[in-house]
């Protein structure tokens, strides 16, 4: 999945969660979600986040390869535990975005090794439910997710929550 699709799908998941659970759709939550949505690709040195990692991604890629440990449920659990030790809207978003990334790659035709390191084989659903990264089906996922996000944002109070949060943040500067 391309970075823009990871970000939009993860923010849409975060917005959906925010409508049902008492997590305000704040700037911190959204920024955490965006960072979490690209963080698993730290295992690929030429990814969006890998190019900005000051060499960390090179080491992770050498140790685990792309779509290895960082794309597993175990890594998500470790990230989430660290987030729970520092609870904030940002860290909740980080966990949601990380899970959204793994979920998005799970539906790609390459799948993800969900149970790595116990089972290193990538899992993927039926080929009827998969997409090719950068292909037409991913573009359709991106467009439909943008529409869903707009509906969620405009239908409820999420848009106003986000604007209010940004205003509060700017006022503290």
């Amino acid at each position: 999945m391309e970075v823009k699709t990871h970000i939009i799908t993860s923010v849409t998941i975060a917005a959906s969660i925010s409508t049902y659970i008492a997590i305000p759709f704040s700037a911190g939550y959204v920024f955490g979600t965006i960072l979490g949505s690209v963080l698993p690709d730290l295992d690929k040195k030429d990814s969006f986040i890998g190019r900005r990692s000051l060499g960390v991604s090179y080491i992770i890629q050498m140790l685990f390869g792309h779509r290895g440990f960082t794309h597993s449920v175990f890594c998500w659990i470790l990230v989430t535990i660290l987030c729970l030790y520092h609870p904030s809207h940002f860290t909740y978003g980080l966990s949601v975005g990380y899970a959204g990334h793994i979920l998005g790659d799970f539906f790609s035709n390459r799948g993800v090794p969900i149970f790595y390191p116990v089972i290193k084989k990538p899992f993927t659903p039926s080929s009827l439910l998969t997409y090719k990264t950068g292909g037409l089906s991913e573009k359709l996922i991106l467009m439909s997710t943008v529409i869903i996000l707009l509906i969620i944002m405009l239908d409820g109070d999420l848009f106003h929550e986000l604007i209010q949060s940004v205003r509060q943040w700017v006022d503290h500067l």
Side-chain angles (χ1 to χ4, degrees):
M1 188 172 269
E2 295 178 344
V3 68
K4 60 189 173 198
T5 313
H6 274 305
I7 291 170
I8 294 296
T9 55
S10 292
V11 170
T12 302
I13 291 167
S16 299
I17 289 170
S18 195
T19 60
Y20 294 103
I21 298 176
I23 299 174
F25 198 70
S26 65
Y29 183 59
V30 173
F31 290 138
T33 301
I34 291 169
L35 178 59
S37 75
V38 298
L39 201 54
D41 279 341
L42 197 57
D43 66 358
K44 188 174 181 189
K45 64 183 183 203
D46 60 342
S47 68
F48 174 81
I49 194 163
R51 291 189 309 270
R52 293 155 178 83
S53 72
L54 305 174
V56 172
S57 67
Y58 181 78
I59 296 166
I60 294 172
Q61 186 173 355
M62 281 181 39
L63 291 173
F64 303 109
H66 180 52
R67 290 198 184 181
F69 180 68
T70 64
H71 284 72
S72 71
V73 170
F74 297 114
C75 191
W76 172 73
I77 290 170
L78 288 175
V79 167
T80 301
I81 288 169
L82 289 173
C83 289
L84 292 175
Y85 276 104
H86 304 283
S88 69
H89 297 158
F90 177 81
T91 57
Y92 297 150
L94 194 70
S95 177
V96 169
Y98 204 102
H101 182 110
I102 294 171
L103 183 65
D105 280 353
F106 172 76
F107 284 99
S108 74
N109 58 3
R110 290 185 49 218
V112 291
I114 291 180
F115 301 111
Y116 188 100
V118 176
I119 302 172
K120 294 182 180 179
K121 177 186 176 287
F123 287 84
T124 189
S126 162
S127 61
L128 294 173
L129 298 173
T130 61
Y131 67 90
K132 182 177 188 248
T133 301
L136 177 62
S137 53
E138 182 178 350
K139 288 174 180 42
L140 292 172
I141 291 168
L142 177 62
M143 289 188 306
S144 60
T145 308
V146 166
I147 291 167
I148 292 167
L149 179 60
L150 287 172
I151 291 168
I152 293 170
M153 294 278 298
L154 297 174
D155 187 43
D157 292 330
L158 296 185
F159 182 73
H160 299 294
E161 279 184 41
L162 182 60
I163 295 301
Q164 183 179 5
S165 171
V166 170
R167 283 184 183 154
Q168 289 172 352
W169 181 72
V170 169
D171 288 345
H172 284 100
L173 292 180

